[in-house]
Amino acid sequence: MTFDVFSLILIGAVAGVVLQTLQKYSRVPSFLNVKLFVVLILLSAACWVISIALGGWIGLSMTGIGLSVMMVAVSGLVISILLNLLFRDI
């Protein structure tokens, strides 16, 4: 696993932990973090589809951006769900 992939997963995990902490100790709605990460996944998938349609160098750069955002969103969503399951009773 390269440093870029690890750093993207780490960014998603930190975002998930921060959103879970905000949800627990402030008046943030309960499913805000899940909605945010799902919207990010959908936007990155749309970016990826548009990049295939564009093609060329612009399409390659948009593919990189879309897949990077998808990796951050999926890792944040997984961490957020795991934290929600682990610390539900606390």
Side-chain angles (χ1 to χ4, degrees):
M1 187 163 18
T2 64
F3 179 73
D4 295 333
V5 174
F6 182 70
S7 64
L8 290 173
I9 292 172
L10 189 65
I11 289 169
V14 168
V17 168
V18 166
L19 286 173
Q20 279 293 84
T21 306
L22 285 175
Q23 177 184 341
K24 184 150 182 82
Y25 295 113
S26 66
R27 294 180 181 241
V28 176
S30 60
F31 287 107
L32 176 72
N33 48 1
V34 174
K35 291 176 188 175
L36 174 72
F37 288 128
V38 168
V39 166
L40 280 176
I41 290 170
L42 293 175
L43 285 176
S44 63
C47 178
W48 184 64
V49 169
I50 290 170
S51 70
I52 291 173
L54 287 176
W57 292 108
I58 297 172
L60 283 174
S61 63
M62 284 185 66
T63 299
I65 292 169
L67 293 178
S68 297
V69 170
M70 186 175 290
M71 188 174 298
V72 169
V74 168
S75 66
L77 182 65
V78 168
I79 292 294
S80 180
I81 289 172
L82 286 176
L83 286 174
N84 202 7
L85 290 175
L86 289 174
F87 299 118
R88 178 176 34 192
D89 298 331
I90 296 176

